[in-house]
């Protein structure tokens, strides 16, 4: 969840910032982190591999926004994500990503539900479910990422979403919210 900024919001994370992401299983996250290191070096490990659902801010109070995220998670259902090959946002943005194939529609639905409440998505571009593999690197590293990841395939079950807060100049997981919690009560 790098910097944010649109709709008059600050381009950098700040006290009312929040993020909602899908984390990866530990073994898949480790594999993708190792590959990112090959493209970008050790600085790539600053942000673990994930799929962002919202990177933005609370439009009212942070706690009100967090409660909305909890309700969206509780109303959701576990689903499967399939990552298949690469895509890019070039020339608009220097990003190479893994395509979210199965599960993209569910990610988009969750995104829409999240921003239908007191949560504002502040990214410069329209929401597109993806997993960033290389960002803002030299052209050779970007090409290496595209080629190396072109045949990549992985599937995993999503059973929760992570709610992040921006504290002490860093993103911190506040809560891991189970999908479908409303049906368990």
């Amino acid at each position: 969840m790098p910097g944010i900024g649109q709709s008059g919001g600050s381009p950098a994370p700040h006290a009312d910032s929040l993020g909602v992401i899908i984390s990866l299983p530990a073994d898949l996250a480790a594999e993708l982190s190792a590959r990112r290191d090959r493209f970008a070096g050790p600085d790539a490990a600053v942000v673990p591999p994930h799929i962002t659902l919202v990177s933005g801010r609370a439009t009212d109070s942070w706690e009100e926004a967090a409660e909305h995220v909890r309700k969206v998670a509780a109303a959701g259902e576990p689903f499967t994500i399939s990552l298949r090959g690469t895509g890019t946002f070039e020339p608009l943005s220097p990003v190479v990503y893994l395509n979210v194939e199965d599960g993209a529609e569910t990610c988009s639905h969750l995104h829409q539900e999240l921003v239908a409440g007191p949560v504002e998505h502040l990214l410069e571009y329209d929401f597109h479910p993806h997993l960033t593999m290389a960002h803002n690197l030299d052209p050779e590293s970007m090409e290496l990422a595209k080629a190396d990841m072109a045949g990549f395939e992985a599937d995993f079950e999503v059973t929760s979403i992570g709610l992040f807060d921006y504290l002490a100049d860093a993103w911190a997981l506040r809560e891991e919210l189970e999908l479908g919690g409303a049906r368990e009560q």
Side-chain angles (χ1 to χ4, degrees), residues 100-119:
V100 174
E101 199 168 274
D102 293 341
E105 192 173 305
T106 304
C107 289
S108 293
H109 175 75
L110 285 169
H111 171 80
Q112 289 302 317
E113 291 295 313
L114 290 164
V115 298
V119 176

Side-chain angles (χ1 to χ4, degrees), residues 33-46 137 141:
S33 289
R35 289 187 182 213
R36 281 173 156 186
D37 285 352
R38 288 201 342 245
F39 314 137
D43 291 340
V46 172
L137 302 177
S141 296

Side-chain angles (χ1 to χ4, degrees), residues 66 102 176 179:
D102 293 341
E176 191 68 30
L179 294 174

Side-chain angles (χ1 to χ4, degrees), residues 137-148:
L137 302 177
D138 61 82
E140 294 80 22
S141 296
M142 296 294 278
E143 286 304 316
L144 175 62
K146 282 185 226 177
D148 187 63

Side-chain angles (χ1 to χ4, degrees), residues 53-175:
L53 294 174
V54 170
S55 183
R57 68 179 182 93
T59 57
D60 295 315
S61 77
W62 197 96
E63 191 49 49
E64 185 179 324
E67 184 56 33
H68 175 69
V69 174
R70 291 180 195 111
K71 287 177 182 174
V72 169
E77 294 182 14
F79 63 103
T80 300
I81 284 188
S82 297
L83 301 172
R84 299 287 186 270
T86 58
T88 182
F89 293 129
E90 295 172 320
L92 296 176
S93 179
V95 173
V96 174
Y97 58 83
L98 290 175
N99 295 305
V100 174
E101 199 168 274
D102 293 341
E105 192 173 305
T106 304
C107 289
S108 293
H109 175 75
L110 285 169
H111 171 80
Q112 289 302 317
E113 291 295 313
L114 290 164
V115 298
V119 176
E120 185 176 19
H121 188 66
L122 295 174
L123 289 179
E124 194 174 335
Y125 306 103
D126 290 337
F127 180 74
H128 176 79
H130 68 281
L131 192 150
T132 299
M133 288 303 298
H135 180 251
N136 217 16
L137 302 177
D138 61 82
E140 294 80 22
S141 296
M142 296 294 278
E143 286 304 316
L144 175 62
K146 282 185 226 177
D148 187 63
M149 301 306 296
F152 185 83
E153 295 185 3
D155 300 319
F156 64 97
E157 187 75 12
V158 178
T159 59
S160 63
I161 57 177
L163 172 60
F164 281 73
D165 194 354
Y166 195 74
L167 303 168
D169 296 327
W171 287 103
L173 178 65
R174 271 302 261 304
E175 297 177 58

Side-chain angles (χ1 to χ4, degrees), residues 21 51 91 117 147 162 174 180:
I21 71 163
I51 298 167
R174 271 302 261 304

